[in-house]
Amino acid sequence: MTASDSRQYDVVIVGGGHNALVAAAYLARAGRRVAVIERAEAVGGAAVSERPWFGVDARLSRYSYLVSLLPQKIIDDLGLRIRLERRRYSSYTPDPRDPSRGILIDTRDAAATTASFVRTLGDDGAAEAERFSAFGARLAPLAEAVFPTMTDPLPTADELRERVGDDDLWEALTTRPLGDLLRRSFESDLVRGIALTDGLIGTFATSDDPSLAQNRCFLYHVVGGGTGDWDVPVGGMGTVTKELERVALESGAEIFTGVEAISISPDGDVHTMTDRSEVFHGELVLSGVGCAVLDRLLAAGGSETTGAETPEGAQVKVNMLLSRLPRLRDESVTPEAAFSGTFHVNETMTQVDAAYAAASGGLIPDPLPVEIYCHSLTDPSILGDHLVADGAQTLTMFGLQVPHRLIADMDPVAAGAKLLAAAQASLESVIAEPLRDCILRAPDGRLCIEARTTRDLEESLNMVGGDIFHGALSWPWLDAPASTPAARWGVSTPHPRVLLCGSSAQRGGAVSGIGGQNAAMAALEILGD
């Protein structure tokens, strides 16, 4: 097939996740002819809502679930009609030594928060509450300095350091393992764990990992929105994708689903396969897939790859629908308060590090560190009216420190069952009744509970190794000024006409749209007027 036989575009985007849709919308609104190619039958990637159980009117954000890093600028620029709801309670953390007490962090009542620290930690509780508050206040300037730069060309480290204005904090986060900062900031192992887990969602590391992978993950978690708050998308994650798809199509982008890219060439040819072979040619190609997948496509085209390391996810996500929230052993806190924020289970710093050691030795951690969310408390619209009337609630469990290597060679069904059992046992160690007693059944008799493992992510979403970040997170800055648009925006590859636009981009990761916006800005600079 010759170039004249191919479909001609200014930009061809491979992969139809939320970042790809952001890039398509920006580029099409700028008057560029854009094609998005998605191998699945629908766009959105991990940012979708689904009904996992036949006959049950519950629309779950099956993979991704919260929004923190999506800038208001992107929402405003694209005219997205989405609503994000803030959760009143930040977190609840029962003491694993005595689950009849726990720390409830209430963002609207500092006195109640302090009281829960005292009730859980004893005589030092009030002082530890003050330390926790001071730690948050210290991080605030970091968030305020870093987050606004996410939609601009990458700043240098020196520029950001000056904007943050706290050299000791900067050094602690960027040069030394996070564990050192947490030990200096808190006295309680329980409170250190509350902070540490922000550095471990989807990341396999210890508090003292010399790679600083936990530090980078922590940074992204605490700077979102300029405040570090994580919000619930009303209507579920699928509403975000639907809005992005709407804006991209209305702006003139063309979206092709059920079309799989089989190779990419540096000159802009994307060979695809459906029921017949076809070539999409772009002046630029934007990769919305992970670098590991992009490398396969480049290699298939006989081209130099990015040389990215094979990614590895380290989490399991459990989705369920309950007839009611389970009772707690801690009678001072209502289940509605405990589950409306982030419910930390077996996540002291010592436990999280021990779980890493167990997994490194080939064992599923016991107990498994788990974080739990109940989105329907904030957004009941994801449930049908009869479920809401009956008091049903969704529950999501997110298990940490379970790298893909633990299940890579296991039977997928057996792997899911083992990780589900570990997550369930962890939660049941801090609640007052068996979880099974609260789980709804579908009309066919099945319990409304499922585990989504790294294997599931690899097979259903083409995320190699089940890595939700598509590879290791990068610092959101440059060591020195860059000379090309692609490098300035953090979206470069070895090929000038092939750019990153997904989570593999320098400021990728999470549901943010930042990788897509950055790629679109670089592309517009390259294409010029």
Side-chain angles (χ1 to χ4, degrees):
M1 180 177 290
T2 65
S4 61
D5 296 323
S6 64
R7 294 175 178 262
Q8 301 288 315
Y9 295 90
D10 295 314
V11 180
V12 176
I13 305 176
V14 178
H18 83 282
N19 273 305
L21 296 174
V22 168
Y26 270 104
L27 291 165
R29 286 164 70 92
R32 299 298 179 178
R33 190 175 180 212
V34 183
V36 177
I37 301 168
E38 168 56 48
R39 69 170 192 150
E41 295 302 324
V43 294
V48 295
S49 297
E50 297 179 356
R51 288 181 168 85
W53 305 290
F54 181 76
V56 180
D57 190 12
R59 301 173 303 283
L60 304 188
S61 299
R62 204 171 187 183
Y63 302 104
S64 56
Y65 42 93
L66 293 173
V67 173
S68 168
L69 291 167
L70 177 61
Q72 188 63 41
K73 173 178 170 53
I74 292 178
I75 296 174
D76 294 341
D77 284 352
L78 300 182
L80 301 177
R81 298 193 290 259
I82 61 175
R83 184 157 60 95
L84 306 177
E85 287 289 342
R86 184 85 16 108
R87 302 174 297 169
R88 170 176 175 174
Y89 297 98
S90 174
S91 66
Y92 172 68
T93 309
D95 186 341
R97 298 168 302 176
D98 179 5
S100 67
R101 58 189 186 183
I103 295 174
L104 179 67
I105 298 175
D106 185 342
T107 62
R108 299 180 191 171
D109 192 334
T113 296
T114 297
S116 78
F117 270 78
V118 173
R119 186 172 59 250
T120 305
L121 302 179
D123 292 342
D124 191 46
E128 190 75 332
E130 289 183 10
R131 287 188 283 266
F132 189 82
S133 178
F135 186 70
R138 191 180 184 194
L139 291 174
L142 177 77
E144 293 166 1
V146 173
F147 192 70
T149 69
M150 293 289 200
T151 51
D152 292 333
L154 283 158
T156 65
D158 287 343
E159 290 169 343
L160 265 186
R161 179 177 184 149
E162 184 175 353
R163 289 182 61 172
V164 170
D166 185 337
D167 285 350
D168 181 65
L169 177 63
W170 183 268
E171 289 290 324
L173 281 178
T174 65
T175 68
R176 298 191 298 273
L178 181 59
D180 177 66
L181 175 64
L182 299 183
R183 279 186 286 271
R184 288 193 287 124
S185 300
F186 308 114
E187 296 297 325
S188 164
D189 190 38
L190 188 68
V191 178
R192 289 169 181 167
I194 294 173
L196 174 61
T197 55
D198 276 341
L200 297 176
I201 299 296
T203 299
F204 188 53
T206 69
S207 58
D208 294 316
D209 200 302
S211 74
L212 304 189
Q214 74 280 22
N215 293 46
R216 294 189 292 275
C217 187
F218 181 80
L219 176 72
Y220 280 90
H221 273 86
V222 301
V223 304
T227 64
D229 292 301
W230 286 74
D231 299 334
V232 175
V234 174
M237 196 61 75
T239 60
V240 177
T241 287
K242 286 180 180 177
E243 271 300 284
L244 290 170
E245 182 181 22
R246 175 188 68 80
V247 171
L249 290 171
E250 289 181 359
S251 300
E254 297 180 55
I255 298 176
F256 300 87
T257 57
V259 177
E260 184 170 9
I262 58 175
S263 72
I264 294 174
S265 68
D267 62 1
D269 281 344
V270 179
H271 289 257
T272 67
M273 179 66 71
T274 50
D275 54 346
R276 62 189 180 90
S277 298
E278 194 167 13
V279 177
F280 289 73
H281 178 82
E283 291 302 306
L284 294 175
V285 174
L286 271 54
S287 171
V289 297
C291 273
V293 177
L294 173 60
D295 281 353
R296 289 204 299 254
L297 296 175
L298 289 169
S303 306
E304 178 187 0
T305 67
T306 68
E309 295 183 0
T310 301
E312 181 183 40
Q315 74 290 320
V316 61
K317 185 172 185 284
V318 178
N319 301 309
M320 67 188 87
L321 182 64
L322 307 183
S323 59
R324 59 176 173 79
L325 294 173
R327 299 189 307 274
L328 304 177
R329 298 192 188 187
D330 184 351
E331 296 181 355
S332 69
V333 177
T334 66
E336 289 75 18
F339 285 102
S340 66
T342 301
F343 191 127
H344 297 276
V345 181
N346 292 313
E347 288 191 326
T348 69
M349 192 158 107
T350 298
Q351 286 178 309
V352 171
D353 284 347
Y356 176 90
S360 296
L363 301 174
I364 294 175
D366 181 18
L368 182 70
V370 170
E371 302 198 346
I372 304 166
Y373 313 88
C374 180
H375 303 135
S376 53
L377 285 171
T378 303
D379 175 28
S381 73
I382 62 176
L383 300 178
D385 291 342
H386 73 284
L387 290 174
V388 174
D390 290 343
Q393 302 287 356
T394 64
L395 213 63
T396 294
M397 290 196 289
F398 199 91
L400 279 61
Q401 306 291 44
V402 281
H404 183 62
R405 71 192 76 163
L406 287 181
I407 65 165
D409 298 324
M410 290 177 60
D411 173 78
V413 175
K418 282 186 178 245
L419 292 178
L420 174 58
Q424 186 169 333
S426 186
L427 174 56
E428 289 181 340
S429 72
V430 299
I431 59 177
E433 60 184 318
L435 181 62
R436 187 184 182 93
D437 291 352
C438 304
I439 302 174
L440 273 173
R441 288 186 181 272
D444 62 5
R446 288 190 305 152
L447 289 171
C448 294
I449 186 169
E450 65 166 7
R452 308 302 290 175
T453 68
T454 51
R455 173 75 68 81
D456 293 320
L457 294 182
E458 186 171 65
E459 293 180 352
S460 60
L461 298 178
N462 208 19
M463 290 182 174
V464 177
D467 189 338
I468 58 177
F469 302 134
H470 292 186
L473 292 170
S474 304
W475 296 116
W477 54 73
L478 297 171
D479 292 330
S483 59
T484 67
R488 283 198 301 274
W489 288 96
V491 297
S492 61
T493 75
H495 307 290
R497 293 174 63 175
V498 180
L499 309 180
L500 304 176
C501 82
S503 288
S504 286
Q506 187 160 346
R507 291 178 286 198
V511 177
S512 71
I514 293 171
Q517 187 263 358
N518 288 181
M521 296 302 104
L524 291 173
E525 282 192 42
I526 293 167
L527 294 171
D529 298 330

